[in-house]
Amino acid sequence: MFSDEGLFHYTSLFLLLSTPPTVISLLFLSAPYGKHHRPGWGPTISPPLAWCLMESPTIWLTLLLFPHGKNNGNPRAFLLISPFLLHYLHRTLIYPLRLYLKTRNGKIQKPGFPVSVAMMAFGFNILNAYLQARWVSEYADLEGDGWFWWRMAAGAVVFCSGAIVNVWSDNVLMGLKEGGGGYKIPRGGVFEWVSCPNYFGEIMEWLGWALMTWSWAGFGFFAYTCANLVPRAGANHKWYLDKFGEDYPKNRRAVIPFLY
């Protein structure tokens, strides 16, 4: 019979092996939503609904799985899973709700979100929620880890810094789109360094998570996040340069300050 340990092992391996083809494919083909929306990807739904549905497995599946692990009564496990859940509570509920309110009031006009892309994200989030929840609740040796609090503190600083950048950047981008008038050049804060500080912030969050969990599951998620967001940031950066030309700041990088 196929054991949960075997399933966890092969799911972790799948995540790691799928990272290189993901980054290669996204270097040549940008996912067709947001700035890169284009026809030919089937039916669409509203972006707020898409974000809510495709991110939701990280909440309900984590909450379903967590009580069934050996660490479910360990305060360290609750503390460790909290940043993961807090990030996705924001992505599943708060961010889509804010987006819905602004689109309903006519402050932001957004094209439809392809159902096909949302379903792919939904599938990934099921896989990833299983990996992260089972690692923390079952496979992590929390009591025997003498470095737990040091890694938790260091990772939390990185994670929280990234979360602040991520949420702040989303607020700036939403504010720029209010009142119509099309896309504008975002300015101020981390936007003076990179075109996509929202992606940079999320990359920082999952680097912090990898440090906190100190696991293949955590580092696999961080690597996949980079594979997904770094090429998209490069495509966004090129889009800004093409659209605004000489008006766009030449010293900005795409996503990693001073590097790329």
Side-chain angles (χ1 to χ4, degrees), residues 33 35 51 87 90-91 95 110 161-174 177 186 188-191 194-206 225 229-230 232-234 236-237 240 248 253-257:
Y33 66 90
K35 294 179 180 64
W51 280 103
H87 171 91
H90 177 263
R91 278 290 165 213
Y95 177 75
K110 274 187 167 291
S161 300
I164 291 169
V165 171
N166 181 254
V167 173
W168 173 83
S169 304
D170 281 343
N171 289 341
V172 171
L173 292 172
M174 281 189 186
K177 294 170 187 173
V190 190
F191 278 107
V194 294
S195 294
C196 301
N198 49 337
Y199 295 164
F200 173 59
E202 188 154 347
I203 289 169
M204 285 181 63
E205 285 184 73
W206 301 125
T225 299
L229 295 185
V230 171
R232 187 166 182 84
N236 283 359
H237 185 66
Y240 278 121
Y248 198 72
R253 298 295 185 260
V255 64
I256 307 298

Side-chain angles (χ1 to χ4, degrees), residues 112-125:
F113 198 107
V115 173
S116 57
V117 176
M119 290 304 296
M120 286 187 282
F122 183 86
F124 170 78
N125 282 321

Side-chain angles (χ1 to χ4, degrees), residues 92-106:
T92 304
L93 299 176
I94 299 172
Y95 177 75
L97 178 60
R98 294 186 62 213
L99 203 57
Y100 168 73
L101 292 174
K102 289 182 180 294
T103 54
R104 186 189 67 174
N105 294 333

Side-chain angles (χ1 to χ4, degrees), residues 62 66 76-88 128-129 131-137 151-152 154-160 202-222 225:
T62 299
F66 195 85
R76 293 187 178 190
F78 285 104
L79 180 64
L80 189 53
I81 201 66
S82 294
F84 183 80
L85 286 173
L86 287 172
H87 171 91
Y88 281 109
N128 190 53
L131 278 177
Q132 309 309 321
R134 288 302 286 162
W135 170 259
V136 176
S137 67
R151 285 199 296 267
M152 187 72 202
V157 169
V158 177
F159 184 95
C160 291
E202 188 154 347
I203 289 169
M204 285 181 63
E205 285 184 73
W206 301 125
L207 173 60
W209 172 254
L211 292 172
M212 285 186 277
T213 61
W214 203 251
S215 65
W216 282 113
F219 279 97
F221 183 25
F222 166 66
T225 299

Side-chain angles (χ1 to χ4, degrees), residues 19-53:
T19 297
T22 296
V23 69
I24 292 170
S25 63
L26 291 178
L27 285 172
F28 299 98
L29 182 67
S30 297
Y33 66 90
K35 294 179 180 64
H36 307 286
H37 174 79
R38 56 191 181 276
W41 287 77
T44 63
I45 57 176
S46 73
L49 180 60
W51 280 103
C52 181
L53 292 177

